[in-house]
Amino acid sequence: MSLLLGIETSCDETAAAIVENGVHIRSNVVASQIELHAQYGGVFPEMASREHVLKTVPVVERALADGRADWSDLDAIAVTYGPGLAGSLLVGVNTAKGLALARELPLIGVNHLEGHIYASWLDGTGEPAPEFPLLCLIVSGGHTELVLMRGHGAYELLGATRDDAAGEAFDKVARLLGLGYPGGPAIQKAAEQGDARVPASRQKLPRAWLEGSYDFSFSGLKTAVLRLVNGAEGRLSAPDIAAAFQEAVVDVLVEKTRLAAEQFGVRQVLIGGGVAANKLLREQMRARLPVPVHIPPIALCTDNAAVIASAGFFHFASGERSGWDLDVVPGLRLVNL
Ligand code: KG4
Ligand code: ZN
């Protein structure tokens, strides 16, 4: 049995977790900074790294206590080294290095995007482990990526956003509609009271299909929402616009994933990242895809360290180790092992 401590501080959550064999969560502690950043309408990077400095050690201690684990029980420490905010990543990476050195444990640097993918390997979904080849849709505040995976660590990027990430579009549109931060949950809630088919919003919001490519684009949609907000003031409610917007984003995400699933003949589809918490996306993925769709529980879609420990375990099991020169890479992309 291998027991890993995972540490994640790439953005605005300070997180630590204890995971057995990459699949069984013993503890998963997340200290969210959402309230702190809400007053600025988005993540304030300098504040985020200062909070991480204050929270990382207590969060690691909590994870060990909740997971009934002692330092001597651990086999390795996995930590996110990118992509993310440089100052935030630095706190996690340096804490992990210090702890690994002091406790004589191997250090495993993990790509945050891999963490979102490996959420599907953690138990708690009641579903069997994913089978290759598979397709992953990673949709978060910073990423919208469609990835073909033929084995552990074997990634082929099929497409990505050319402008805003899906979650970023949710956050920006929520701001336009005065719904607050973070935008994803606010839009989802407002949309429940709205109707995507009311006549005015049926001047359908545009879908950027970018024919012949698996890339995405959401900036035109944001502009179209702005036109609806300005043009139909007083007639179109924020809930109706939120519903039409959410439907447009989900439609493109699901349709492109469906096309890729067919073209590459995958056995299943995984989704991950904060936007994978979206109810309509979860429903539509299950309804429209030709293969089984693995959808992690919501707490494992948004940023947390259990998914980092899980991804780290598969690197650890293949003999990979990071050196003491491991550095943060804010613009890190998905790379093959
Ligand atoms: O993965 P995540 O926690 O952090 C990043 O790595 O970016 O994703 C955060 C993003 C935010 O943009 C947030 O608005 C979005 O995920 N999000 C949602 C929902 N919950 C969170 N978007 C749509 N619907 C939701 N229910
Ligand atoms: Zn994330």
Side-chain angles (χ1 to χ4, degrees):
M1 195 262 287
S2 292
L3 202 62
L4 265 74
L5 164 68
I7 299 178
E8 152 67 42
T9 64
S10 67
C11 189
D12 61 343
E13 326 274 7
T14 316
I18 303 287
V19 174
E20 258 179 53
N21 294 336
V23 297
H24 177 63
I25 301 176
R26 286 245 209 129
S27 65
N28 195 11
V29 180
V30 181
S32 172
Q33 304 177 8
I34 283 184
E35 277 175 31
L36 177 71
H37 299 288
Q39 57 187 309
Y40 305 105
V43 178
F44 189 154
E46 190 53 37
M47 300 277 275
S49 38
R50 285 187 208 178
E51 273 298 296
H52 288 310
V53 169
L54 297 175
K55 298 275 175 60
T56 305
V57 170
V59 163
V60 166
E61 283 170 345
R62 262 281 303 286
L64 283 163
D66 288 2
R68 302 192 187 292
D70 195 48
W71 287 106
S72 58
D73 301 329
L74 295 180
D75 293 289
I77 300 181
V79 63
T80 307
Y81 71 104
L85 300 169
S88 292
L89 289 163
L90 265 172
V91 180
V93 167
N94 284 319
T95 306
K97 275 191 197 176
L99 292 171
L101 201 57
R103 304 287 175 177
E104 298 182 339
L105 289 167
L107 177 71
I108 319 278
V110 173
N111 183 316
H112 181 81
L113 297 173
E114 286 190 286
H116 282 309
I117 293 172
Y118 278 88
S120 289
W121 267 266
L122 289 164
D123 58 15
T125 53
E127 293 175 60
E131 287 177 34
F132 300 111
L134 53 82
L135 195 64
C136 317
L137 176 70
I138 308 169
V139 272
S140 73
H143 295 271
T144 306
E145 267 147 37
L146 199 52
V147 179
L148 178 64
M149 230 179 136
R150 298 190 193 274
H152 286 295
Y155 308 106
E156 190 180 323
L157 183 64
L158 302 180
T161 184
R162 293 185 184 174
D163 38 62
D164 293 344
E168 192 180 359
F170 270 93
D171 293 337
K172 287 179 176 170
V173 165
R175 202 175 310 160
L176 286 177
L177 297 176
L179 296 175
Y181 171 87
I187 296 247
Q188 175 175 313
K189 189 153 175 268
E192 279 163 16
Q193 316 300 320
D195 185 349
R197 293 155 307 160
V198 295
S201 50
R202 206 190 288 156
Q203 333 149 357
K204 259 201 167 173
L205 287 174
R207 272 99 167 127
W209 293 115
L210 309 178
E211 297 287 342
S213 145
Y214 287 119
D215 282 350
F216 300 90
S217 166
F218 297 108
S219 66
L221 183 55
K222 190 182 56 192
T223 313
V225 167
L226 185 62
R227 263 204 312 275
L228 276 187
V229 171
N230 292 337
E233 224 174 337
R235 282 189 289 129
L236 251 194
S237 71
D240 289 341
I241 300 176
F245 164 78
Q246 179 177 252
E247 193 180 271
V249 173
V250 167
D251 196 16
V252 176
L253 292 175
V254 174
E255 187 55 20
K256 292 219 158 199
T257 308
R258 191 185 69 75
L259 284 172
E262 275 176 4
Q263 184 185 340
F264 294 96
V266 296
R267 298 178 75 162
Q268 61 190 123
V269 167
L270 317 181
I271 63 174
V275 182
N278 186 268
K279 191 162 166 255
L280 184 68
L281 179 65
R282 296 163 85 91
E283 285 169 5
Q284 292 283 306
M285 278 286 176
R286 287 213 168 95
R288 288 165 54 184
L289 269 284
V291 291
V293 184
H294 215 291
I295 306 182
I298 288 171
L300 298 179
C301 289
T302 49
D303 289 351
N304 68 90
V307 302
I308 302 304
S310 174
F313 168 78
F314 289 96
H315 287 285
F316 177 72
S318 70
E320 211 189 308
R321 305 287 182 267
S322 297
W324 298 120
D325 58 348
L326 176 72
D327 202 358
V328 304
V329 184
L332 184 65
R333 306 173 73 100
L334 261 185
V335 281
N336 292 317
L337 282 178

